[in-house]
Amino acid sequence: MSLLRILVTGAGGMLGHDVVRAARFVNHEVVALGHEELDVVDGSAVERAIVAERPNVVVNCAAYTRVDDAQDDLDSAMAINADGARHVAAAAAAVGAAVIYPSTDYVFDGSKSSPYVESDEPRALSVYAQSKVAGEHETATSNPRHWIARTSWLFGVGGNNFVETMLALGRELDEVLVVRDQIGCPTYAGHFADALVQLTEGEDYGVHHIAGGGQCSWYEFAEEIFKQANVDTRVLSCTTDEMPRPAPRPSYSVLGTERPQAIYLPDWREGLASYLADRAAVSR
């Protein structure tokens, strides 16, 4: 394996942090640029940074991820997730670099009853999802050497996520209420980051589905969180209609793959265990 020079945008975020760590672990040279160092909305700044650093690969982890807020903030979501994606992918292409665009299971509407594969047509329900579909398109059309890596229900150290929300509620409440009719694949950001670095080491360009193994509901995920964390909190279930949110979510967004050389991640329960161990190590 030849060592690469990898530039990571959004390096201060949950996924970006883990991509930087994963790339350095296997001795790639990493240029880590957080939002303070590089705002992907500024196309000229993106071009200057990538021309100056001349990476082999850019991993674009800069993203607007607040699903509910995006419903009333279309301009910001599109500026970061779509326009920013175009700026990064085009600047990478200009210096001969490949680009990775992490995306989401939320690009699908949940109408299937079997796992979504790479060739399934996106049908976004929310503004956030629309912005990610647009970002996929901008990335693909701006740089022929691209990977679009969709994942599901991401959680990791250093970012807001469902696991942290449940643990915080569990410290305060005897019982919590969680929806049971949304099904997906919880994915540990550390495992997803390892897979993204693995992608950079080959040329299997195009769309990839990479998510935690297995599937569960948010209700089942919450039960497993409290079980593994040894938190004595009762989990009650409800339907999505009984707990409305500003942004619609797909009822079923399990990701499968049709790629012959697919990258498979550990089961979501293993991902949760790894996350809780990493979280404990950070807090020590």
Side-chain angles (χ1 to χ4, degrees):
M1 181 191 75
S2 59
L3 297 182
L4 301 169
R5 183 170 173 84
I6 300 175
L7 187 148
V8 181
T9 68
M14 180 177 71
L15 178 59
H17 172 270
D18 280 346
V19 170
V20 169
R21 181 174 64 171
R24 286 178 174 159
F25 183 76
V26 291
N27 295 318
H28 293 305
E29 183 181 2
V30 179
V31 179
L33 301 178
H35 178 73
E36 298 76 15
E37 293 83 31
L38 182 63
D39 181 357
V40 298
V41 174
D42 185 340
S44 297
V46 170
E47 184 178 8
R48 286 194 302 272
I50 291 178
V51 167
E53 298 293 348
R54 304 196 75 81
N56 304 112
V57 179
V58 179
V59 184
N60 184 17
C61 295
Y64 186 112
T65 59
R66 300 188 304 277
V67 178
D68 287 324
D69 290 348
Q71 285 300 107
D72 297 315
D73 197 8
L74 171 66
D75 289 348
S76 294
M78 293 297 289
I80 298 168
N81 291 344
D83 297 342
R86 181 177 68 255
H87 297 156
V88 171
V95 298
V99 64
I100 293 183
Y101 183 76
S103 193
T104 172
D105 57 323
Y106 281 12
V107 301
F108 299 113
D109 66 4
S111 60
K112 277 188 77 175
S113 57
S114 59
Y116 284 94
V117 295
E118 290 86 353
S119 62
D120 284 323
E121 192 72 25
R123 290 189 179 90
L125 295 177
S126 66
V127 168
Y128 164 72
Q130 291 165 11
S131 74
K132 293 301 287 185
V133 172
E136 292 184 1
H137 175 75
E138 296 287 1
T139 298
T141 56
S142 300
N143 191 329
R145 296 174 62 225
H146 66 268
W147 299 273
I148 292 164
R150 295 181 185 136
T151 194
S152 170
W153 296 15
L154 200 65
F155 61 93
V157 176
N160 295 324
N161 62 73
F162 182 76
V163 182
E164 287 305 314
T165 298
M166 287 299 104
L167 292 176
L169 290 173
R171 287 192 293 268
E172 301 171 2
L173 303 172
D174 293 328
E175 59 185 32
V176 298
L177 185 65
V178 183
V179 296
R180 63 176 178 268
D181 57 354
Q182 294 174 29
I183 309 297
C185 311
T187 306
Y188 173 46
H191 290 162
F192 184 51
D194 288 341
L196 295 183
V197 173
Q198 187 177 334
L199 282 180
T200 69
E201 295 163 356
E203 296 183 344
D204 194 9
Y205 301 120
V207 179
H208 291 254
H209 286 183
I210 305 173
Q215 65 183 56
C216 65
S217 67
W218 289 113
Y219 165 73
E220 291 166 326
F221 191 15
E223 285 200 310
E224 186 68 18
I225 290 165
F226 292 131
K227 176 184 175 183
Q228 290 199 22
N230 294 312
V231 174
D232 187 18
T233 297
R234 185 184 179 199
V235 184
L236 306 177
S237 73
C238 67
T239 66
T240 298
D241 288 343
E242 291 169 330
M243 188 181 284
R245 302 283 292 275
R249 270 87 165 161
S251 59
Y252 181 90
S253 59
V254 175
L255 296 180
T257 182
E258 58 195 358
R259 284 187 168 271
Q261 303 298 321
I263 298 174
Y264 293 96
L265 300 188
D267 184 85
W268 64 270
R269 297 172 190 83
E270 293 181 44
L272 175 60
S274 295
Y275 171 71
L276 293 174
D278 273 4
R279 184 177 178 274
V282 168
S283 64
R284 281 202 292 268

